[in-house]
Amino acid sequence: MDTTSAEKRTDAPLTTLSKADRTRRMVAVGIGNFMEWFDFAIYGYFAAIIGAQFFPSGDPTAEMLSSLAVFAVGFISRPFGALILGPIGDKFGRKTVLMITVLGMGTITALIGVIPSYASIGIAAPIIIVILRLAQGAFAGSEWTSAAAYIGESAPTRKRAIYASMVTATAGLAFLVGTVTAAVLTAVMDESSLNSWGWRVPFLASIIMAVVAIYIRRKLVDTPVFEEVERKRASNTLEPTSASAKAKAFIMTLAFAGIFGVSLYYLITYMNNFLSTAAGMDRLDALIVCGIVMAIYVAFNPLVGILTDKFGRRPVLFTGLIGLIVWSIPAFLLMSTANMLLSGIALTIFAFFVACTAVVNNVLLVEVFPASIRATGSAIGYNVAYAALAGPGPLIAAALVAGTGLLISPAFYVIVIAIIALAILVPMLKETKGIDISHG
């Protein structure tokens, strides 16, 4: 395909969008995306407390594993949510799904904050937690991919990656705020108060964010690309997508979304728990290190977006994959010292490679799927990868340490997933920079 002509065709329906309109779209998408990831952040940072509250066994390791298992449960329902919400996005528009997901996630996150503990209602407590996590996962399953599609389809062709980086940076910002929230609560509250009710406060706050997000998103109109697809449907000129093209896009999505999810959840959920438990660092010190690294990670995202728009998707993605393969073991060796400076260096370098996979993931979710099946295809591929690989990542990491006694053992999982992703994507992924995303 001729890149120049592709860009012209892509830009044609987008000329009606002003810079101010694109900015409003990013803000509207960003606030809902922030809310989704804020929940995951606070759940990860309070995993030890949640484990003790809802899965008491007297063994901190067992309680932590139980809590992380419930964290993983939220990913099992993601593909089912994608099967329902993805087709809605392709039929009724990206905006419709963005409204549904933010309302669902906000309500359920707030409900998690009011569930009585095991000590109060017994076995009903963990059962309710699992049910809510399953429902939450179903909504979250389409929030990220719908946000990626909405922003990607609204962006100028030559700046698609930098726009996509705003979605990933928003997620990073949510984890930063989640880290700061956890650190502040840990610092100002005594242990008894934090364990009994303090951890619930940020969960309850999500309902406020949901109301704000809905208010902002209600004024959105759909993307020019979706409107073009609707015109083609009405005139029966929509190009069909072959089964082989769908299968290829799905396999590639499993690869690039899988390694993105695994590395991201290591960075944002597991590393804090690793430092404060397995490595033996003071919990507040671990939160400070992770908070600083998350701030750096947020800054990395637009930088990676600029690099991706300039040099292409393949070079940046493969830099991230190879970096994760090479750096994961040294990173865990440095973190195992429980030294704040060495741990910060380890995580900062790791965070850059995660940012490479994050930004390119969001661009490719838009560029490897035809417009008419983009919401469905990207949501299913992304969420199957998350359910199978990313969601269980923190649990697998904790289990590896518990089972082997090796503090570097969590690195093995990241390395294996990165090698598999590299083996799939090197031969299958063609450079997609500048392609027409309004076709099909």
Side-chain angles (χ1 to χ4, degrees):
M1 178 185 294
D2 179 77
T3 303
T4 303
S5 61
E7 289 179 351
K8 288 181 179 177
R9 290 196 303 274
T10 306
D11 281 342
L14 301 182
T15 53
T16 56
L17 293 182
S18 65
K19 184 177 180 180
D21 191 12
R22 290 191 176 108
T23 300
R24 282 193 294 270
R25 289 170 181 240
M26 283 198 293
V27 171
V29 170
I31 188 170
N33 193 48
F34 177 95
M35 191 190 74
E36 174 194 353
W37 294 91
F38 178 78
D39 164 59
F40 281 95
I42 57 177
Y43 189 99
Y45 292 129
F46 290 122
I49 294 175
I50 293 172
Q53 288 286 311
F54 294 96
F55 308 94
S57 67
D59 181 352
T61 299
E63 292 171 354
M64 173 70 75
L65 289 173
S66 296
S67 181
L68 290 177
V70 176
F71 179 83
V73 161
F75 291 83
I76 295 174
S77 56
R78 277 176 169 249
F80 298 100
L83 284 171
I84 297 171
L85 295 173
I88 291 175
D90 282 327
K91 185 174 183 180
F92 298 106
R94 307 348 179 184
K95 174 192 171 180
T96 302
V97 177
L98 289 172
M99 292 291 288
I100 294 171
T101 55
V102 75
L103 175 62
M105 289 187 305
T107 302
I108 292 169
T109 302
L111 288 174
I112 291 176
V114 299
I115 300 173
S117 66
Y118 186 94
S120 299
I121 61 174
I123 192 65
I127 291 174
I128 295 172
I129 280 282
V130 170
I131 292 172
L132 289 177
R133 285 290 296 169
L134 285 169
Q136 188 180 53
F139 286 109
S142 289
E143 167 66 26
W144 182 269
T145 52
S146 295
Y150 193 87
I151 291 299
E153 291 180 353
S154 301
T157 301
R158 295 177 181 85
K159 295 183 178 180
R160 204 175 287 149
I162 187 64
Y163 272 68
S165 74
M166 295 300 102
V167 178
T168 56
T170 301
L173 182 61
F175 279 97
L176 172 59
V177 174
T179 303
V180 172
T181 301
V184 170
L185 290 174
T186 301
V188 303
M189 298 185 71
D190 61 82
E191 186 174 355
S192 176
S193 298
L194 182 66
N195 290 345
S196 62
W197 63 269
W199 68 271
R200 298 176 183 273
V201 173
F203 284 88
L204 296 173
S206 67
I207 196 66
I208 299 174
M209 289 187 282
V211 171
V212 174
I214 291 170
Y215 177 78
I216 296 176
R217 286 185 173 184
R218 69 185 177 88
K219 297 182 179 181
L220 291 175
V221 295
D222 233 303
T223 70
V225 171
F226 177 77
E227 292 171 353
E228 178 69 13
V229 169
E230 289 294 275
R231 285 192 291 270
K232 290 178 180 178
R233 281 200 182 107
S235 60
N236 292 318
T237 58
L238 193 64
E239 301 173 9
T241 305
S242 67
S244 61
K246 293 178 183 178
K248 181 180 178 182
F250 178 75
I251 292 170
M252 288 192 295
T253 303
L254 289 180
F256 62 71
I259 185 57
F260 160 54
V262 169
S263 62
L264 179 69
Y265 280 108
Y266 262 53
L267 178 66
I268 61 181
T269 298
Y270 178 67
M271 295 309 197
N272 172 69
N273 289 303
F274 174 84
L275 289 173
S276 61
T277 55
M281 185 182 292
D282 179 78
R283 179 168 178 78
L284 183 57
D285 289 344
L287 286 169
I288 291 171
V289 170
C290 290
I292 293 171
V293 170
M294 285 311 304
I296 296 171
Y297 171 77
V298 171
F300 278 154
N301 279 269
L303 171 63
V304 171
I306 292 170
L307 294 174
T308 305
D309 277 327
K310 183 174 182 179
F311 298 107
R313 289 43 169 153
R314 281 172 56 95
V316 175
L317 178 58
F318 295 157
T319 295
L321 291 175
I322 295 170
L324 290 171
I325 293 169
V326 172
W327 183 246
S328 290
I329 289 178
F332 274 94
L333 282 171
L334 291 173
M335 288 188 292
S336 297
T337 66
N339 179 280
M340 292 181 70
L341 177 60
L342 294 178
S343 298
I345 293 171
L347 286 174
T348 297
I349 298 173
F350 190 88
F352 175 75
F353 298 131
V354 175
C356 290
T357 67
V359 174
V360 179
N361 169 83
N362 269 30
V363 179
L364 292 180
L365 286 173
V366 177
E367 293 178 341
V368 303
F369 286 97
S372 60
I373 64 165
R374 182 167 293 137
T376 303
S378 63
I380 293 174
Y382 174 86
N383 287 296
V384 168
Y386 261 47
L389 302 172
L395 175 62
I396 291 172
L400 283 170
V401 173
T404 67
L406 296 174
L407 294 184
I408 65 167
S409 59
F412 303 156
Y413 185 61
V414 179
I415 292 170
V416 168
I417 300 302
I419 290 174
I420 294 172
L422 200 62
I424 292 172
L425 294 170
V426 167
M428 291 186 69
L429 178 64
K430 307 303 179 186
E431 182 54 61
T432 57
K433 176 185 174 183
I435 68 165
D436 178 7
I437 61 169
S438 64
H439 68 89

